[in-house]
Amino acid sequence: MAHQIETAPGVHLHVEDEGSGKPVIFIHGWPLNEAMFHRQKQAVIENGYRYIGIDLRGFGRSDQPEENYIYDTFASDILAVVKELELEQYTLVGFSMGGPVAIRYAVKYAGEQLEQLFLLGPAAPSFTKRMGYSLGMEKEDVDDLMEAIDEDREKALQDFGGNFFYQDVSEEAKQELFDLSMQASKQATISAAEALRDEDLRDEAGHIRVPVTIFHGRHDAICEYGFAEELEQRIPTVTVVPFEESGHGLHVEEPDKLNDELLQRL
């Protein structure tokens, strides 16, 4: 079943809702959408859980407003979905940019119904270098990426996708990544990259009070493995599961391992 859920005046999110049992909410990365999780969706449903896949505003089949592509807005949209679907005792899964969005949600918006947090190659605590933090991209490089998207979005996203995988994945997997990326609006793609550049969750991460598991590719060239090690120092309730044969696309490169690890913890 698919829902169109209004999360703000004039903004409706596309939400996939399939299966039964305890809900598992999936939040995609930049600039993808919930369809990236189709390998996990099948495993979740077949093992007796309810799959909730949210297309963030501006991405996939959700509405594409002109503004408000910041972590706080994404997180408040998730809260609106949780309330509308009356979800209880759920797990939240965030991939890449969906990781810091999930952290923001867990700290600022989640009530006692959130049981645990899974972070997949999270772009957290900060996607870019800053004072006292040497990990991630230079802010200027994100500026260049935003400019490249504005000038030639197809080429910019193809170039970005070239860093997504460690393994030599199929052309079909590469095309899937590109196709999902192109379903986002150009404005959302640029504005969410700005949020990735500017947001800093180093202090926030320490306030998570539910169990957290981080699944991270050792060879991640987009959100380096050091992010997981940094979060491990900051989150009091964390477990890190390394993926030895994956880059950023661990859901494609080691899908069976990821599914097994997720299901063991649900």
Side-chain angles (χ1 to χ4, degrees), residues 4-49:
Q4 288 290 324
I5 295 177
E6 187 172 34
T7 60
V11 179
H12 296 79
L13 299 194
H14 176 89
V15 181
E16 289 289 322
D17 181 359
E18 294 189 36
S20 59
K22 277 193 176 184
V24 188
I25 306 171
F26 285 80
I27 308 299
H28 62 82
W30 178 95
L32 305 171
N33 56 65
E34 71 81 27
M36 67 165 285
F37 295 116
H38 62 85
R39 300 166 186 84
Q40 289 67 54
K41 176 181 182 178
Q42 181 178 356
V44 164
I45 295 170
E46 288 178 352
N47 284 275
Y49 297 96

Side-chain angles (χ1 to χ4, degrees), residues 2-253:
H3 306 281
Q4 288 290 324
I5 295 177
E6 187 172 34
T7 60
V11 179
H12 296 79
L13 299 194
H14 176 89
V15 181
E16 289 289 322
D17 181 359
E18 294 189 36
S20 59
K22 277 193 176 184
V24 188
I25 306 171
F26 285 80
I27 308 299
H28 62 82
W30 178 95
L32 305 171
N33 56 65
E34 71 81 27
M36 67 165 285
F37 295 116
H38 62 85
R39 300 166 186 84
Q40 289 67 54
K41 176 181 182 178
Q42 181 178 356
V44 164
I45 295 170
E46 288 178 352
N47 284 275
Y49 297 96
R50 181 180 175 187
Y51 173 90
I52 306 291
I54 301 175
D55 285 354
L56 297 174
R57 61 169 62 204
F59 298 88
R61 289 157 287 182
S62 289
D63 286 348
Q64 301 179 346
E66 288 298 313
E67 55 188 7
N68 255 344
Y69 295 105
I70 58 175
Y71 292 173
D72 208 56
T73 302
F74 291 142
S76 65
D77 283 347
I78 295 169
L79 178 63
V81 172
V82 168
K83 288 182 175 180
E84 177 67 22
L85 298 181
E86 298 180 342
L87 301 179
E88 297 181 350
Q89 305 304 309
Y90 58 90
T91 293
L92 183 61
V93 184
F95 170 77
S96 194
M97 184 185 76
V101 170
I103 291 173
R104 174 64 52 79
Y105 175 83
V107 172
K108 186 170 183 179
Y109 293 105
E112 294 181 357
Q113 299 296 340
L114 175 63
E115 288 193 338
Q116 60 181 329
L117 198 59
F118 293 162
L119 305 177
L120 282 55
S126 171
F127 185 65
T128 53
K129 294 179 173 66
R130 55 192 71 235
M131 186 175 297
Y133 184 85
S134 61
L135 303 173
M137 293 178 66
E138 298 286 353
K139 288 188 175 184
E140 293 78 11
D141 292 336
V142 181
D143 290 339
D144 292 343
L145 175 61
M146 292 161 59
E147 184 176 335
I149 292 168
D150 190 40
E151 292 178 357
D152 188 341
R153 182 162 64 127
E154 289 193 17
K155 182 180 185 305
L157 293 178
Q158 285 174 335
D159 291 344
F160 183 81
N163 296 319
F164 204 83
F165 301 111
Y166 169 66
Q167 296 185 33
D168 185 16
V169 301
S170 68
E171 290 302 316
E172 181 182 7
K174 295 175 184 176
Q175 188 64 43
E176 175 187 292
L177 178 72
F178 176 73
D179 290 345
L180 294 180
S181 298
M182 289 300 294
Q183 290 173 23
S185 77
K186 183 176 181 179
Q187 183 60 45
T189 304
I190 293 172
S191 294
E194 185 176 359
L196 278 164
R197 181 194 67 191
D198 294 342
E199 296 265 14
D200 182 2
L201 278 66
R202 283 178 291 173
D203 293 336
E204 215 160 319
H207 295 286
I208 301 173
R209 291 294 176 259
V210 296
V212 179
T213 308
I214 300 172
F215 308 90
H216 212 119
R218 287 278 192 190
H219 307 279
D220 197 326
I222 293 176
C223 296
E224 61 185 277
Y225 188 78
F227 286 7
E229 296 173 324
E230 182 74 17
L231 288 171
E232 188 174 23
Q233 299 300 314
R234 294 178 178 276
I235 301 174
T237 56
V238 71
T239 300
V240 177
V241 180
F243 281 64
E244 304 293 346
E245 301 300 323
S246 289
H248 198 47
L250 71 167
H251 63 296
V252 175
E253 297 176 274

